[in-house]
Amino acid sequence: MGACLGACSLLSCASCLCGSAPCILCGCCPSSRNSTVTRLVFTTFLFLGVLVCIIMLSPGVESQLYKLPWVCEEGTGTSVILQGHIDCGSLLGYRAVYRMCFAMAAFFFLFTLLMNCVRSSRDPRAAIQNGFWFFKFLIFIGITVGAFYIPDGSFSNVWFYFGVVGSFLFILIQLVLLIDFAHSWNQRWLCKAEERDSRTWYAGLFFFTFLFYSLSIAAVALMFIYYTQPDACYEGKVFIGLNLTLCVCVSVAAVLPKVQDAQPNSGLLQASVITLYTMFITWLALSNVPDQECNPHLLTQFSNETVLAGSEGYETQWWDAPSIVGLIVFILCTLFISLRSSDHRQVNSLMQTEECPPILEQQQQGACEGRAFDNEQDGVTYSYSFFHFCMVLASLYIMMTLTNWYKPGETLKMISTWTAVWVKICASWAGLLLYLWTLVAPLLLPNRDFS
């Protein structure tokens, strides 16, 4: 009898896993929209892959793996050879990160192609998007296992450039999300200040604006101290000085009278957020300068090769501060992509999303019964295909972040290159130009609606 009940319970769980997204999280998020829950589950897949990458980069995992005589086999390029079944080099260090992120990117790219031009939940492909999670997980595992069988060859070098391009685009997406967040923040606090006739909200806006500009100035000072030398590091000085000048220009443009007339919600809060983000990207760029004199974070020993560390085992170097901060920013931006619903028409057009439609009476009844409701019967609230493409870019960005943007060398060591530096600096310039365009576009194109 107990076995029958257990079998029935397993069948019910299996049907839930093969069903729609609301069935999975109905107990945790009873009033959630179907579209939001689906994006959160796909984001969970991404975070699982990131967790695997972090585990495979851990020195403790590496030392324990090499203690198992039945695990490792002879592999090309490994400094220590143990007899067994698996080339440990493909399970550790940047090689594991490249393969895991390749699997994540391939998984989301598959759905990018499959979900192209889905208009509503009545499309049969919408059921695949919002359900069949058990089979999706099996596909994800299968692609991951297959990725670890990819031979070394030129795979790492070619995939590095894919990661560079994808990371450049994801940095721009991060900036768009920050602009959207800052605009929404400024608009809401201004509305509350007017509704309640209170100066507290104005004081709050002033405090955070002052805080962000103060942090930006402190970052500039620290970068000049730690990443430049009096008679050297001229590239770093130019990057810091030029980005500081551009940030001052966009801050002045944000408060010009004509810009204020065209966009009353524009202000220094948004400019301070963009300035701080630009300084962050500049810091990331300087942390990849391939010169030990100009870069205190340069990891001269970072490699996927195992390095003998005495009788206790083997170890590799861990991340530096820029990588840890970049990982935190990545997590926040990825969650924001999954949860966001902007009120700004321009951002919705760029991010392929729409304002959420009103909840119907039938949907409200379904929410009260403890299940998420389908809010996309009349039209999708976000582009399925574009969302998965953003996840592809996120997979490439996290790959570059976890490997410090280092390039695989001929000796299987990870080396820092000027390619990563220029990509990040160009991304910061493109982001500032994009923000400047949002300010001056209503003035240059007065016949278009930028409301």
Side-chain angles (χ1 to χ4, degrees), residues 60-112:
V61 171
E62 180 176 358
S63 61
Q64 294 300 321
L65 189 63
Y66 272 98
K67 290 180 180 179
L68 301 177
W70 50 270
V71 172
C72 302
E73 68 176 355
E74 180 176 353
T76 304
T78 55
S79 58
V80 177
I81 298 174
L82 299 176
Q83 298 299 323
H85 300 81
I86 301 175
D87 176 12
C88 286
S90 64
L91 298 177
L92 301 171
Y94 82 89
R95 296 168 69 183
V97 174
Y98 271 43
R99 282 160 175 75
M100 188 67 231
C101 292
F102 172 82
M104 292 190 294
F107 174 78
F108 289 114
F109 185 72
L110 174 64
F111 282 92
T112 301

Side-chain angles (χ1 to χ4, degrees), residues 257-450:
K258 291 186 178 180
V259 174
Q260 290 287 314
D261 293 338
Q263 297 193 55
N265 293 324
S266 175
L268 287 178
L269 177 65
Q270 299 93 314
S272 66
V273 173
I274 301 306
T275 299
L276 183 59
Y277 182 74
T278 301
M279 292 301 109
F280 167 69
I281 297 299
T282 307
W283 177 43
L284 294 182
L286 295 178
S287 67
N288 279 109
V289 173
D291 187 349
Q292 190 72 43
E293 184 180 6
C294 304
N295 182 9
H297 289 109
L298 189 63
L299 301 181
T300 56
Q301 299 297 326
F302 187 75
S303 162
N304 78 310
E305 288 186 295
T306 54
V307 181
L308 188 62
S311 59
E312 295 181 0
Y314 302 90
E315 64 180 3
T316 56
Q317 297 225 9
W318 194 231
W319 309 326
D320 54 3
S323 297
I324 296 175
V325 177
L327 177 62
I328 296 173
V329 173
F330 161 80
I331 293 174
L332 295 177
C333 288
T334 307
L335 288 175
F336 193 54
I337 291 175
S338 303
L339 298 173
R340 67 174 297 281
S341 178
S342 178
D343 296 330
H344 293 85
R345 195 173 304 171
Q346 312 98 299
V347 177
N348 284 327
S349 177
L350 183 62
M351 295 297 295
Q352 300 292 304
T353 55
E354 299 178 1
E355 294 185 28
C356 293
I359 303 175
L360 301 178
E361 181 179 356
Q362 181 180 0
Q363 294 172 339
Q364 290 178 339
Q365 182 179 0
C368 294
E369 293 175 355
R371 297 178 63 87
F373 55 86
D374 182 7
N375 62 320
E376 298 180 311
Q377 293 182 358
D378 297 328
V380 295
T381 60
Y382 67 100
S383 171
Y384 292 173
S385 182
F386 186 77
F387 168 75
H388 289 295
F389 180 68
C390 289
M391 293 294 104
V392 173
L393 300 181
S395 303
L396 297 175
Y397 177 81
I398 196 61
M399 178 184 75
M400 302 305 295
T401 299
L402 295 180
T403 57
N404 297 84
W405 288 70
Y406 282 14
K407 179 183 178 181
E410 296 180 356
T411 60
L412 296 181
K413 290 183 178 180
M414 298 294 282
I415 57 176
S416 182
T417 64
W418 280 103
T419 302
V421 178
W422 280 107
V423 166
K424 295 179 183 180
I425 289 296
C426 291
S428 68
W429 294 341
L432 288 171
L433 291 177
L434 179 62
Y435 175 63
L436 182 62
W437 171 252
T438 63
L439 297 177
V440 302
L443 301 177
L444 300 178
L445 303 172
N447 295 327
R448 293 191 60 181
D449 181 17
F450 290 94

Side-chain angles (χ1 to χ4, degrees), residues 147 176 213 226 238 263 290 370 399 424:
V176 171
Y213 275 124
Y226 290 102
V238 171
Q263 297 193 55
M399 178 184 75
K424 295 179 183 180

Side-chain angles (χ1 to χ4, degrees), residues 22-237:
C23 182
I24 295 180
L25 299 180
C26 59
C28 300
C29 307
S31 59
S32 299
R33 298 180 178 89
N34 193 13
S35 57
T36 303
V37 175
T38 296
R39 285 180 287 180
L40 283 175
V41 177
F42 273 115
T43 303
T44 303
F45 278 36
L46 178 67
F47 287 165
L48 284 176
V50 174
L51 181 61
V52 172
C53 293
I54 293 175
I55 292 175
M56 290 305 173
L57 283 173
S58 173
V61 171
E62 180 176 358
S63 61
Q64 294 300 321
L65 189 63
Y66 272 98
K67 290 180 180 179
L68 301 177
W70 50 270
V71 172
C72 302
E73 68 176 355
E74 180 176 353
T76 304
T78 55
S79 58
V80 177
I81 298 174
L82 299 176
Q83 298 299 323
H85 300 81
I86 301 175
D87 176 12
C88 286
S90 64
L91 298 177
L92 301 171
Y94 82 89
R95 296 168 69 183
V97 174
Y98 271 43
R99 282 160 175 75
M100 188 67 231
C101 292
F102 172 82
M104 292 190 294
F107 174 78
F108 289 114
F109 185 72
L110 174 64
F111 282 92
T112 301
L113 300 177
L114 183 61
M115 297 300 161
N116 190 32
C117 296
V118 176
R119 303 301 182 188
S120 69
S121 59
R122 294 185 177 91
D123 192 310
R125 291 175 295 172
I128 301 177
Q129 168 76 3
N130 299 316
F132 300 98
W133 297 105
F134 178 73
F135 297 106
K136 289 178 184 175
F137 186 73
L138 292 181
I139 294 174
F140 184 71
I141 294 298
I143 296 176
T144 301
V145 172
F148 280 90
Y149 283 93
I150 299 176
D152 281 335
S154 59
F155 167 76
S156 297
N157 290 298
V158 173
W159 195 238
F160 168 81
Y161 290 103
F162 275 92
V164 167
V165 176
S167 300
F168 176 85
L169 297 177
F170 191 76
I171 289 175
L172 296 183
I173 290 178
Q174 286 182 334
L175 182 69
V176 171
L177 296 176
L178 281 175
I179 294 175
D180 178 30
F181 173 75
H183 275 295
S184 300
W185 182 8
N186 186 72
Q187 183 177 358
R188 290 178 182 178
W189 282 29
L190 287 177
C191 291
K192 290 182 178 180
E194 294 176 358
E195 291 175 357
R196 302 180 183 182
D197 193 19
S198 174
R199 295 185 178 182
T200 304
W201 300 102
Y202 292 111
L205 290 175
F206 173 79
F207 170 77
F208 282 103
T209 301
F210 178 79
L211 175 64
F212 293 151
Y213 275 124
S214 299
L215 291 175
S216 301
I217 295 174
V220 171
L222 291 174
M223 284 187 290
F224 270 114
I225 293 174
Y226 290 102
Y227 292 92
T228 62
Q229 298 294 333
D231 299 327
C233 310
Y234 298 105
E235 298 88 352
K237 296 176 182 178

